Amino acid sequence: MSLTDRKLVVTGGPTREWIDPVRYISNASSGRMGVALADAASHRAGETVFIHGPMEAALLEGKTYRTVGVESTMELLDAVMSELTGSTVLIMAAAPSDYRPAGKSATKIKKDDDRLVLELVKNPDILKTVAARKSAGPGLEGLFTAGFAAETHDVENYARGKLRDKNLDMICLNDVGRPGAGFAVDTNIITVFTRRGARVELALASKRALADKILDLVEEEIAAYTHSS
Ligand code: CTP
């Protein structure tokens, strides 16, 4: 089954966790890698859906595929789960906030105290939730999952650990400390690790060019699964 017969669900951008009506916790993800992947997917997949957190509207202009906007990690989780089918390829390029405030203050927090302690609770891990659903029973056996790992140190170990812990078919390591591989730029440097043990270095290139190479590798992996089953 090639990508033309598959639904590609790509996520991108940060999520936003509100503290009070005027403040939130978020991160530096711009959503550019996700858009590049969704653009590439739309030329090759049967159906493409891009689920994204808050990001620059200009980056989403003129898209021919379906886009779904969400705000928090919980909303992203719900949106992802509702799109999954047995022939979906899920590429999680989003940077979901790992924690959210234990409660959102209904009114603006005033600077009355010299110290302010915010209590945060852990958000669910979307890829782990998807993996649990996939192994829970029939329906999603054909689902292919790819994640991203944005790391600053001990990068390969963390990437391989995430491939294993999140039960992924593929992980794209993004060493954000390297020039040209940052968040708001149009280029990236990626090393791909697969469940079958492949390690492929993709040199500095535009995010759009890298997106096509990542999809080539997804196709190769799917073909290899098909031949070995
Ligand atoms: N991810 C996810 N759900 C979360 C957090 C992350 O599905 N709550 C996904 C990301 O979209 C990415 C992969 O998991 O594809 C790795 O995300 P990353 O932020 O690098 O790692 P974390 O698992 O959050 O671990 P840590 O922050 O400790 O590095």
Side-chain angles (χ1 to χ4, degrees):
M1 198 187 239
S2 74
L3 291 185
T4 25
D5 304 312
R6 292 204 169 230
K7 175 179 181 181
L8 256 96
V9 177
V10 179
T11 70
T15 61
R16 197 176 270 184
E17 309 291 343
W18 287 94
I19 298 166
D20 71 12
V22 298
R23 304 181 180 97
Y24 54 78
I25 297 171
S26 193
N27 60 66
S29 170
S30 66
R32 284 181 165 78
M33 193 65 232
V35 169
L37 282 158
D39 286 354
S42 67
H43 293 282
R44 307 168 60 153
E47 181 190 354
T48 302
V49 184
F50 181 50
I51 310 175
H52 62 89
M55 51 186 280
E56 230 180 279
L59 293 175
L60 296 166
E61 261 167 29
K63 299 305 176 193
T64 51
Y65 46 82
R66 188 153 58 86
T67 61
V68 179
V70 298
E71 206 165 51
S72 65
T73 295
M74 295 297 265
E75 286 172 20
L76 181 59
L77 172 67
D78 287 347
V80 167
M81 296 312 277
S82 71
E83 295 290 347
L84 301 182
T85 69
S87 62
T88 296
V89 172
L90 171 65
I91 305 184
M92 285 285 300
S97 178
D98 289 327
Y99 292 89
R100 66 179 184 278
K104 177 183 170 187
S105 170
T107 53
K108 186 183 174 197
I109 299 170
K110 304 304 282 183
K111 58 173 186 299
D112 296 331
D113 302 320
D114 288 340
R115 287 172 69 94
L116 174 69
V117 177
L118 268 183
E119 192 187 351
L120 303 179
V121 295
K122 209 173 203 174
N123 273 325
D125 188 292
I126 297 167
L127 281 171
K128 281 189 183 170
T129 311
V130 169
R133 174 76 61 86
K134 184 177 165 180
S135 55
L140 294 185
E141 300 93 338
L143 177 70
F144 184 97
T145 53
F148 271 73
E151 307 291 349
T152 57
H153 59 285
D154 208 3
V155 296
E156 292 216 5
N157 269 339
Y158 280 121
R160 287 182 196 277
K162 286 173 187 175
L163 178 70
R164 194 179 50 241
D165 296 347
K166 295 174 192 253
N167 196 14
L168 301 175
D169 296 293
M170 176 182 284
I171 193 143
C172 303
L173 166 63
N174 187 3
D175 180 349
V176 290
R178 291 168 78 178
F183 283 110
V185 293
D186 283 319
T187 57
N188 213 345
I189 306 166
I190 283 172
T191 310
V192 176
F193 301 88
T194 71
R195 184 194 290 279
R196 293 184 315 121
R199 178 187 183 284
V200 183
E201 284 188 24
L202 304 177
L204 178 72
S206 70
K207 287 181 175 173
R208 182 63 178 76
L210 288 169
D212 260 317
K213 290 192 171 150
I214 290 168
L215 293 187
D216 290 343
L217 292 170
V218 169
E219 272 193 310
E220 276 176 32
E221 289 305 295
I222 289 173
Y225 290 169
T226 314
H227 291 138
S228 65
S229 66

